[in-house]
């Protein structure tokens, strides 16, 4: 499979802006992990008994992975897309049985001190499979059969990860692909339906359901006054009304079947009932205190007190943004958001310049996943999203996630570097 | 396809919109909203106040009067108290669970609050502190703050030194330097030199982790301030003389003030009964305070030397003589009759039996009431003034220039003004224009509405000893070893009375010398030291007060004493001997009259008032 182009290095046509952005982000991430769990007794940043030392190993191996990906022939990814998807699906099914359970989580393969979480790699595998499926000449996403297959490629891994491994956060990430599907022609109605579902979910938890039903009925009635009253429109509006009411009822059902900690996370976000800041509201409140206390310019590198002294839980992984906010202030956190968004939007422009639909679809998948992580991760630290345990791309401590983001990104960089050669 | 690729704008639009919403949200919580910053400080910082060492106080010979001892207050910040083993904690402190709950309740309720640190247990012993400190990390919300307590090795001069106490709400509102519970001077020179003695508090910011463990100082102490120690005071007090005077004044109610006339320095200032200043320190303080304040006879908390106003009595006759001589209505040879009283008013004010008529020297020696009533009348009805009131105003003017009826301006806290009645004062009582010399004749013998503090009394003697001038009496000689501190500048200004002719003083001084040589104080001579004195009584609703003023030696006086003992009768019985012993002690360093000393030390006028009748001799 390895091949070398005539007189061309493996770095030929590589998008260096993206690579550079990637390098800056992982470097900043590493420095922030050092600050977040800074330990005076182990002040050397490369001390591998500490998380910052370990992260350096993850960064090194990620760069190695990136190199390998650039070396591998781009056709490998198209040819083996389904195979890779199937292999990782099997790994994910196997992990609850083969892996060792650690801290109630059964999503890890353990190798001594280090662990691998196959669920993280399911993202790029599913992305490859989706790209492969949707780039088929005969497939049109508008066709509902195709839609169902797409949703299965997304849904099966998500359900396996959620139900078998009990990793809700990692499963929810698969929702991200909806942006990619939309770009590829998914009806706007699905998006609107999803949007409606979220709004109704929130409303159903905030307002008495009976009132909500009345409001929906009233809105339907008003809609009827303004459009042509024929059988078709009447049917559509009635359908929307019924769907909406079902969603409202469904909310209660979903909420009741949630686990307690998930319920409280939603309650905290929506400010339902009394939130005890020492108990269920602790994480988010501490995250806000850390970020809020950073002020405009921040407290300075290694000068944070809220994260360094463990007021913020998970300060090196899911809540790493707190360190950014506390030590680098508004300027630093804005810079991080802009840099992450810059990378994501750059990926979209790169995707758009592909001649091959496979590359384009894959590129959109990468951008969608990054964006979803960014939105949920930062959103939860500033109280705009529920607490869902997913990492901030390139910042959060962790080998599996960094490898996963690196693989996602560099497969696309590789595909992009070959954009002029062939039409896949 | 083309249409679909336009969807990228919507996608990018959504991404940027989310980015903008997040950035706005960050701007709100990081820049606009301050609550998170406060919360962060409250939970990650502990502000510890470093209390400076309060300045020591020494006597004029560098003998230590006041020093400090370390004490430790256990503080609590109720908000941070969580998950502590109450039983364990109570065991460490030796308190019951009920007491613990009561103290916690107090810490939470107004004026305290859960977010405010307050004292949980005051003044732990160093031993309790040592054992507590090691395990304190297990009790988040509790910490120890070190304080200093005052200690008094000599147990003297309680009133002059004063005491320190905790700042209350009124103080903290007036001066933001203080926080409730801080110590500050409440009375005495602890109060008047508070700013010098207190130094400057330091503030340390200590970082804490989530388990309340100390994580070192914030930014390596960049924002910390160091406590600056209070400055030591060197007082003018002679500790030996003070101690001796206090012993002599035991079981007597009254006051002695001794001043070095050449400098205005107060050598001794005794209020009796007094108390051990150590009683006002430590945990027993409140109990002792209540006990002392319940003594309604001795009133040991009442600082008589500067706060009690007595009629000056016979000693005021010296001022009358000076004014009479100054105004030219009296000469050393002027003689006035006495008929057991002042004849023009039918024998009032009364007088005791003695030869008559007498000249000025004789009148001073015998303290004749009639004589000085005549002098007063001649001053007030002096024709050169055309009007009695103008003459009275002049008389009052001269009298007040001797620092009577006005504060001396000393550095002793809480001084009383005393009273030399003004024209307005009598107008109010008798009606405008309807009083004259005979109405207020007893002013001439130091009675009527005249009021004078023992400090003013001693200062008056110093003025006579100096022949017309004085330095403001003061108790502090040097601040931080520096006698030229600007705070002390005002004690280096010579004040002159309205009577400047030293010849006038010489006449009065001669009279005072006579009193010692062969007059009322003849029994109180000091071998080798000729001195001047005036005995007296001050009439009072009860038994007369025993008064004695003196200065020694006669030439270049080194010490002037004013002494008053309540309800002790004639001046030479108690007041005179005590003053004499003090002069000898100060000037000679030894006592040649152990018999007199023994009698004075043993005299108990408080507990045997009733059977210790002393016959009035004049």
């Amino acid at each position: 499979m390895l091949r070398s182009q005539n007189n061309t290095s493996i770095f030929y046509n590589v998008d260096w802006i993206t690579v550079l952005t990637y390098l800056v982000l992982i470097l900043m991430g590493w420095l922030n992990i050092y600050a977040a769990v800074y330990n005076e007794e182990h002040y050397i940043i490369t001390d591998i008994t500490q998380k910052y030392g370990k992260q350096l190993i993850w960064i090194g191996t990620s760069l190695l992975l990136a190199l390998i990906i650039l070396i591998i022939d781009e056709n490998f990814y198209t040819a083996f897309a389904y195979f890779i998807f199937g292999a990782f699906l099997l790994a994910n099914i196997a992990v609850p049985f083969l892996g060792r359970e650690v801290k109630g989580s059964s999503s890890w393969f353990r190798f001594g001190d280090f662990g691998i979480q196959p669920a993280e790699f399911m993202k790029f595998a599913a992305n490859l499979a989706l790209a492969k499926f949707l780039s088929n000449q005969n497939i049109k996403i508008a066709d509902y059969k195709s839609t169902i297959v797409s949703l299965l490629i997304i849904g099966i891994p998500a359900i396996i990860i959620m139900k078998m491994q009990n990793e809700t956060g990692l499963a929810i990430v698969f929702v991200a692909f909806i942006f990619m599907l939309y770009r590829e022609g998914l009806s706007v109605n699905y998006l609107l339906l999803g949007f409606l579902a979220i709004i109704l979910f929130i409303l159903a938890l905030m307002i008495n359901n009976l009132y909500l039903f009345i409001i929906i009925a009233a809105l339907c009635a008003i809609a009827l006054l303004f459009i042509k009253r024929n059988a078709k429109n009447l049917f559509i509006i009635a359908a929307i009304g019924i769907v909406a009411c079902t969603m409202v009822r469904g909310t209660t059902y979903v909420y009741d079947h949630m686990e307690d900690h998930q319920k409280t996370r939603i309650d905290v976000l929506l400010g339902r009932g009394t939130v005890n800041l020492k108990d269920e509201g602790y994480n988010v409140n501490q995250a806000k205190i850390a970020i809020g206390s950073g002020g405009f310019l921040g407290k300075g590198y290694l000068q944070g007190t809220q994260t360094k002294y463990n007021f913020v839980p998970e300060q090196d992984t899911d809540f790493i943004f707190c360190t950014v906010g506390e030590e680098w202030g508004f300027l630093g956190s804005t810079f991080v958001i802009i840099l992450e968004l810059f990378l994501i939007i750059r990926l979209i422009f790169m995707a758009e310049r592909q001649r091959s639909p496979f590359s384009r679809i894959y590129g959109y998948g990468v951008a969608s996943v990054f964006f979803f992580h960014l939105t949920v991760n930062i959103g939860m630290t500033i109280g705009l999203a529920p607490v869902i345990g997913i990492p901030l791309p390139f910042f959060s401590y962790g080998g599996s996630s960094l490898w996963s983001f690196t693989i996602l990104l560099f497969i696309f960089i590789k595909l992009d570097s070959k954009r002029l050669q062939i039409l896949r | 396809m083309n249409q679909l690729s336009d969807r990228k704008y919507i996608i990018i639009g959504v991404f940027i919109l989310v980015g903008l919403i997040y950035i706005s949200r960050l701007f709100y919580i990081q820049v606009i909203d301050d609550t998170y910053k406060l919360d962060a400080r409250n939970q990650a910082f502990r502000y510890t106040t470093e209390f400076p060492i309060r300045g020591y106080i020494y006597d004029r010979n560098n003998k230590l009067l006041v020093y400090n001892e370390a004490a430790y207050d256990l503080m609590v910040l109720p908000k941070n108290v969580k998950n502590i083993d109450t039983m364990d904690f109570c065991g460490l402190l030796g308190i019951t669970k009920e007491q613990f709950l009561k103290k916690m309740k107090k810490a939470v309720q107004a004026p305290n609050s859960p977010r405010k640190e307050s004292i949980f247990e005051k003044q732990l012993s160093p031993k309790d502190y040592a054992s507590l400190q090691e395990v304190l990390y297990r009790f988040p919300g509790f910490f120890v703050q070190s304080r200093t307590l005052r200690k008094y090795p000599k147990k003297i001069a309680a009133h002059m030194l004063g005491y320190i106490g905790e700042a209350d709400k009124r103080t903290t509102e007036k001066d933001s330097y203080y926080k409730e519970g801080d110590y500050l001077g409440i009375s005495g020179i602890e109060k008047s030199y508070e700013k010098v003695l207190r130094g400057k508090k330091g503030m340390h910011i200590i970082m804490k982790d989530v388990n309340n463990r100390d994580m070192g100082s914030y930014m390596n102490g960049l924002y910390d301030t160091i406590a600056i120690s209070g400055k030591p005071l060197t007082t003018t007090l002679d500790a030996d003389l003070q101690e001796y005077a206090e012993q002599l004044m035991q079981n007597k109610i009254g006051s002695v003030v001794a001043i070095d006339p050449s400098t205005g320095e107060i050598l001794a200032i005794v209020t009796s009964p007094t108390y051990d200043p150590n009683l006002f320190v430590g945990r027993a303080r409140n109990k002792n305070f209540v006990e002392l304040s319940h003594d309604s006879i001795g009133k040991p908390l009442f600082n008589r030397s500067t706060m009690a106003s007595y009629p000056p009595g016979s000693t005021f006759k010296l001022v009358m003589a000076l004014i009479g001589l100054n105004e030219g209505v009296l000469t050393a040879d002027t003689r006035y009759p006495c008929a057991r009283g002042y004849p023009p008013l039918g024998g009032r004010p009364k007088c005791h039996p003695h030869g008559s008529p007498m000249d000025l020297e004789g009148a001073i020696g015998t303290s004749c009431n009639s004589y000085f009533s005549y002098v007063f009348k001649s001053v007030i009805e002096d024709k050169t003034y055309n009007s009695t009131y103008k003459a009275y105003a002049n008389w009052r003017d001269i009298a007040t220039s001797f620092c009577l009826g006005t504060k001396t301006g000393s550095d002793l806290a809480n001084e009383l003004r005393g009273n030399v009645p003004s024209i307005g004062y009598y107008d109010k009582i008798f009606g405008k224009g309807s009083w004259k010399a005979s109405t207020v004749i007893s002013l001439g013998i130091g009675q009527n509405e005249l009021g004078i503090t023992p400090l003013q009394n001693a200062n008056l003697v110093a003025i006579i000893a100096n022949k017309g001038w004085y330095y403001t009496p003061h108790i502090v000689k040097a601040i931080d070893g520096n006698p030229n501190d600007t705070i002390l500048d005002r004690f280096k200004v010579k004040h002159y009375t309205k009577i400047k002719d030293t010849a006038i003083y010489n006449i009065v001084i001669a009279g005072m010398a006579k009193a010692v040589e062969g007059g009322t104080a003849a029994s109180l001579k000091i071998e080798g030291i000729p001195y001047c004195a005036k005995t007296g009584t001050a009439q009072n609703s009860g038994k007369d007060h025993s008064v004695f003023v003196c200065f020694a030696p006669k030439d270049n006086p080194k010490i002037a004493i004013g002494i008053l003992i309540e309800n002790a009768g004639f001046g030479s019985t108690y007041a005179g001997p005590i003053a004499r012993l003090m002069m000898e002690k100060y000037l000679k360093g030894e006592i040649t009259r152990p018999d007199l000393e023994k009698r004075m030390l043993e005299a108990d006028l408080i507990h045997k008032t009733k059977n210790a009748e002393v016959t009035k001799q004049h």
Side-chain angles (χ1 to χ4, degrees):
Chain A
M1 278 300 154
L2 297 176
R3 74 167 198 186
S4 54
Q5 284 252 308
N6 300 336
N7 302 329
T8 340
S9 85
I10 54 162
F11 297 118
Y12 177 75
N13 231 356
V14 160
D15 191 83
W16 285 110
I17 294 177
T18 307
V19 174
L20 199 67
T21 313
Y22 163 81
L23 290 174
V24 170
L25 284 170
I26 53 173
L27 182 70
M28 285 172 62
W30 182 45
L31 293 175
N32 274 292
I33 290 166
Y34 180 64
V37 291
Y38 178 71
N39 180 340
E40 275 187 359
E41 286 163 30
H42 303 270
Y43 59 89
I44 297 170
I45 197 168
T46 52
D47 186 337
I48 62 155
T49 62
Q50 302 298 309
K51 286 199 169 164
Y52 26 92
K54 287 194 180 122
Q55 182 74 356
L56 188 61
I57 295 174
W58 298 125
I59 289 173
T61 47
S62 292
L63 294 178
L64 196 66
L65 270 176
L67 198 65
I68 292 168
I69 290 164
L70 290 180
I71 291 169
I72 294 172
D73 190 291
E74 70 278 9
N75 290 317
F76 170 84
Y77 305 110
T78 41
F80 286 86
Y82 290 140
F83 176 79
I84 293 169
F85 179 71
F88 276 100
L89 205 56
L90 279 176
N92 272 290
I93 294 169
V95 74
F97 304 106
L98 300 179
R100 233 172 345 116
E101 193 172 301
V102 177
K103 283 189 224 155
S105 168
S106 48
S107 60
W108 295 87
F109 283 123
R110 286 272 157 199
F111 308 99
D113 222 10
F114 296 95
I116 289 287
Q117 209 174 13
E120 280 286 359
F121 302 96
M122 202 63 235
K123 283 180 270 196
F124 94 89
N127 198 15
L128 279 176
L130 272 174
K132 173 86 175 176
F133 174 70
L134 293 171
S135 59
N136 190 319
Q137 295 286 327
N138 306 318
I139 298 293
K140 276 215 158 51
I141 185 104
D143 173 6
Y144 81 97
K145 270 190 191 163
S146 315
T147 308
I148 286 176
V149 175
S150 306
L151 290 180
L152 283 177
I153 294 175
I154 298 166
I156 290 171
I159 287 167
I160 287 170
I161 292 167
M162 177 135 58
K163 289 295 168 192
M164 295 181 69
Q165 302 176 9
N166 214 6
E167 289 283 354
T168 317
L170 292 174
I172 286 176
V173 172
F174 286 83
V175 172
F177 289 113
I178 201 138
F179 290 109
M180 174 246 265
L181 293 180
Y182 169 71
R183 166 62 183 86
E184 291 309 311
L186 184 72
S187 166
V188 183
N189 293 341
Y190 289 99
L191 288 181
L192 292 180
L193 209 62
F195 191 62
L196 184 69
I198 293 171
I199 298 285
L200 285 173
F201 184 85
I202 294 171
L203 288 177
L205 290 175
M206 306 284 285
I207 306 172
N208 186 322
N209 281 4
L210 186 64
Y211 297 149
L212 210 50
F213 289 141
I214 295 169
I215 291 167
I216 291 168
L219 285 174
C220 289
I222 291 166
L224 275 178
L225 291 176
F226 288 96
I227 59 167
K228 220 163 144 197
R229 280 178 289 275
N230 57 30
K232 191 187 162 208
N233 284 347
L234 206 66
F235 175 76
I236 290 172
I237 287 180
I240 292 173
I242 290 165
V243 167
C245 291
T246 316
M247 281 177 176
V248 171
R249 289 310 300 164
T251 297
T252 321
Y253 178 81
V254 171
Y255 182 79
D256 285 346
H257 282 77
M258 277 181 169
E259 292 189 26
D260 284 344
H261 73 275
Q262 291 167 334
K263 283 183 195 171
T264 54
R265 284 172 184 183
I266 289 168
D267 291 346
V268 169
L269 180 69
L270 299 180
R272 293 176 90 222
T274 49
V275 175
N276 183 349
L277 294 181
K278 282 185 180 161
D279 193 5
E280 69 270 11
Y282 180 81
N283 290 13
V284 174
N285 186 47
Q286 288 298 337
K288 283 197 272 186
I289 288 174
I291 294 170
S293 67
F296 189 75
L297 291 172
K299 296 177 185 171
Y301 189 54
L302 295 183
Q303 301 300 333
T305 50
Q306 306 304 306
T307 48
K308 195 161 65 175
Y309 297 140
N310 303 325
F311 289 98
V312 181
E314 312 277 341
Q315 73 270 44
D316 54 335
T317 54
D318 296 344
F319 284 93
I320 188 73
F321 190 72
C322 296
T323 307
V324 179
E326 186 182 10
E327 297 193 344
W328 301 99
F330 174 71
L331 281 186
S333 25
T334 303
F335 179 73
V336 168
I337 290 178
I338 289 174
L339 199 63
E340 293 261 8
L341 273 179
F342 171 80
L343 176 69
I344 291 163
I345 292 169
R346 171 103 198 141
L347 289 177
I348 288 175
F349 280 110
M350 283 162 68
E352 288 292 343
R353 75 186 178 194
Q354 303 304 317
R355 279 198 266 163
S356 136
F358 179 87
S359 301
R360 182 187 66 237
I361 295 165
Y362 183 84
Y364 260 97
V366 177
S368 304
V369 169
F370 285 0
F371 175 74
F372 190 85
H373 273 271
L374 178 74
T375 308
V376 172
N377 182 282
I378 295 182
M380 75 183 178
T381 62
I382 56 178
L384 289 181
V387 175
I388 295 171
I390 59 174
L392 180 62
F394 315 117
F395 268 74
S396 292
Y397 168 80
S400 294
S401 64
L402 187 59
W403 280 6
S404 158
F405 292 128
T406 304
I407 294 168
L408 266 170
L409 181 64
F410 274 85
I411 288 178
F412 182 56
I413 289 174
K414 175 70 182 179
L415 293 173
D416 176 67
S417 70
K418 303 294 178 190
R419 65 187 179 272
L420 301 172
Q421 290 184 3
I422 26 164
L423 198 66
R424 265 176 289 269
Chain B
M1 202 66 193
N2 215 5
Q3 227 179 343
L4 281 181
S5 83
D6 281 349
R7 288 190 169 185
K8 76 177 177 217
Y9 297 116
I10 292 175
I11 293 173
I12 291 172
V14 168
F15 287 7
I16 289 176
L17 181 70
V18 169
L20 288 177
I21 290 171
Y22 279 23
I23 290 169
S24 324
R25 170 75 173 172
L26 282 168
F27 189 76
Y28 178 75
I29 68 172
Q30 292 189 297
V31 182
I32 296 173
D33 191 344
D34 275 340
T35 54
Y36 299 112
K37 293 175 191 68
L38 288 175
D39 284 347
R41 261 177 240 156
N42 282 340
Q43 66 181 14
F45 289 162
R46 208 184 69 222
Y47 297 87
T48 55
T49 307
E50 192 196 340
F51 288 97
I53 297 168
R54 200 170 170 85
Y56 285 19
I57 300 176
Y58 300 90
D59 91 331
R60 63 188 298 114
N61 301 313
N62 282 323
K63 286 185 182 151
L64 191 59
L65 298 178
V66 187
Y67 68 101
N68 301 316
E69 202 175 72
Y72 303 91
D73 286 348
L74 180 62
M75 311 288 289
V76 63
L77 182 58
K79 190 176 79 87
N80 289 356
V81 177
K82 50 194 163 196
N83 308 325
I84 69 160
D85 184 341
T86 316
M87 291 318 291
D88 193 9
F89 189 71
C90 291
L92 276 166
L93 285 179
I95 57 172
T96 64
K97 184 144 190 217
E98 287 70 40
Q99 284 172 311
F100 173 84
L101 293 174
K102 216 172 121 192
K103 282 167 185 285
M104 279 308 284
K105 207 171 151 196
K106 200 182 140 211
V108 173
Q109 285 172 342
N112 296 318
S113 98
R115 286 174 169 271
K116 206 173 98 183
E117 55 196 51
S118 58
I119 296 174
F120 186 82
E121 181 87 10
K122 245 188 237 179
Q123 293 159 15
L124 302 169
S125 70
K127 195 171 136 264
D128 283 352
Y129 165 67
S131 59
L132 189 64
Q133 195 201 20
E134 283 171 25
V135 291
L136 206 58
Y137 71 91
R138 290 209 313 250
F139 308 105
F142 289 95
F143 58 96
V144 167
Q145 197 154 56
S146 71
R147 292 295 195 85
T148 52
L149 297 181
R150 292 303 237 182
K151 280 280 168 186
Y152 308 87
K154 287 193 167 306
K155 305 177 183 172
I156 56 169
H159 293 99
M160 181 278 280
L161 295 169
Y163 55 90
I164 57 174
E166 285 175 23
D168 56 13
K169 204 160 179 196
R170 241 185 31 221
T171 316
T172 57
E173 276 166 7
K174 226 164 44 187
D175 186 345
S176 61
Y177 175 85
Y178 299 103
K179 275 200 200 153
E180 251 172 270
D182 282 2
Y183 289 133
L184 81 160
I186 303 286
S187 71
I189 58 170
E190 294 278 19
K191 182 185 178 189
S192 52
Y193 284 92
E194 165 68 11
K195 286 213 168 112
V196 175
L197 289 168
R198 77 182 180 193
K200 198 166 180 298
K201 282 192 283 188
M203 174 77 86
H204 292 254
I205 308 174
I206 307 283
M207 295 185 291
K208 294 184 304 184
D209 75 352
V210 71
N211 298 315
N212 205 34
R213 276 186 299 236
D214 280 2
M215 303 307 289
S217 76
Y218 180 59
M219 298 285 273
N220 288 322
L222 187 65
Y223 298 106
D224 293 0
T225 52
I226 297 171
I228 299 167
S229 301
K231 293 176 185 164
L233 295 181
T234 308
T235 61
T236 61
L237 204 73
D238 183 309
D240 294 337
L241 183 66
Q242 175 78 18
E243 193 171 15
Y244 187 56
E246 285 188 17
Q247 285 166 1
L248 293 171
M249 288 293 283
Q250 258 175 45
N251 296 320
K252 297 153 198 89
I253 299 174
S255 172
V256 191
V257 179
I259 294 176
D260 180 343
S262 62
T263 56
E265 292 172 358
I266 296 169
L267 302 171
I269 181 160
V270 178
T271 287
S272 186
T274 182
Y275 57 90
D276 179 354
N278 290 302
L279 291 177
F280 277 12
V281 178
R283 292 158 105 166
R285 175 202 158 103
N286 285 345
K287 190 181 125 261
N288 293 333
F289 195 94
V290 169
E291 236 164 62
L292 287 173
S293 61
H294 280 174
D295 180 350
S296 61
I297 298 168
K299 292 190 187 134
L301 296 181
F302 182 42
N303 185 6
R304 292 179 163 82
S305 50
T306 55
M307 291 294 286
S309 173
Y310 297 102
S314 307
T315 49
F316 189 74
K317 290 167 186 165
L318 299 172
V319 179
M320 265 332 297
L322 291 168
I323 296 174
L325 290 164
N326 190 57
E327 295 299 303
V329 296
L330 179 72
T331 67
D333 302 324
T334 309
R335 286 170 186 270
Y336 286 117
C338 176
R340 294 275 189 111
Y342 176 53
L345 291 176
R348 291 205 171 258
K350 282 199 267 184
C351 197
H352 53 91
H354 58 75
S356 170
M358 289 226 257
D359 64 0
L360 179 58
E361 206 171 86
I364 292 174
T366 55
S367 201
C368 177
N369 284 344
S370 172
Y371 191 95
F372 290 99
S373 299
Y374 276 113
V375 176
F376 181 72
K377 188 169 186 297
S378 62
V379 169
I380 300 303
E381 292 179 353
D382 187 352
K383 294 287 181 289
T384 52
Y385 287 96
N386 297 325
S387 130
T388 309
Y389 294 150
K390 273 188 190 155
Y392 182 86
N394 178 57
W395 168 84
R396 185 175 186 272
D397 223 22
I398 298 173
T400 49
S401 78
F402 283 75
C403 225
L404 306 176
T406 171
K407 291 184 184 182
T408 65
S410 78
D411 48 359
L412 297 158
N414 303 327
E415 220 186 288
L416 209 66
R417 227 179 60 225
N419 189 25
V420 179
S422 62
I423 292 172
Y425 180 89
Y426 283 127
D427 279 349
K428 227 186 232 167
I429 295 177
F430 301 109
K432 213 172 165 100
S434 48
W435 58 277
K436 49 189 182 180
S438 55
T439 324
V440 295
I441 196 73
S442 58
L443 284 175
I445 58 165
Q447 299 291 334
N448 204 293
E449 302 294 335
L450 277 176
I452 181 173
T453 67
L455 177 66
Q456 288 171 330
N457 195 32
N459 191 44
L460 176 62
V461 191
I463 293 170
I464 295 169
N466 286 339
K467 300 175 187 175
W469 57 268
Y470 68 100
Y471 287 114
T472 302
H474 56 280
I475 195 69
V476 171
K477 214 173 145 68
I479 293 171
D480 203 5
N482 177 15
N484 296 319
D485 194 296
T486 52
I487 295 174
L488 305 175
D489 281 353
R490 65 194 181 96
F491 302 130
K492 299 191 178 76
V493 182
K494 237 181 196 180
H495 300 280
Y496 288 90
T497 65
K498 296 239 155 100
I499 299 174
K500 296 194 173 66
D501 186 354
T502 51
I504 291 174
Y505 290 94
N506 286 336
I507 297 168
V508 172
I509 289 170
M512 290 173 76
K514 197 89 183 259
V516 180
E517 279 156 27
T520 47
S523 63
L524 301 173
K525 283 199 193 78
I526 303 172
E527 174 105 357
I529 302 174
Y531 72 94
C532 304
K534 170 87 188 74
T535 59
T537 53
Q539 279 169 25
N540 187 48
S541 49
K543 191 172 175 181
D544 289 351
H545 299 323
S546 175
V547 181
F548 194 84
V549 295
C550 56
F551 62 86
K554 181 167 178 269
D555 301 313
N556 296 320
K558 294 268 177 298
I559 181 168
I561 296 178
I563 174 168
L564 182 143
I565 301 176
E566 288 182 23
N567 316 114
F570 185 53
S572 59
T573 318
Y574 292 108
I578 289 174
R580 184 224 171 268
L581 290 167
M582 283 175 67
M583 283 186 288
E584 190 173 39
K585 172 94 179 171
Y586 182 69
L587 295 171
K588 279 187 165 175
E590 53 173 6
I591 299 300
T592 54
R593 289 283 304 274
D595 59 315
L596 195 65
E597 182 181 51
K598 186 163 180 280
R599 191 146 58 83
M600 288 305 121
L601 288 172
E602 284 172 359
D604 185 345
L605 303 184
I606 296 179
H607 307 99
K608 298 179 198 162
T609 335
K610 290 203 172 70
N611 47 13
E613 272 295 332
V614 178
T615 37
K616 266 198 262 177
Q617 296 188 3
H618 59 213

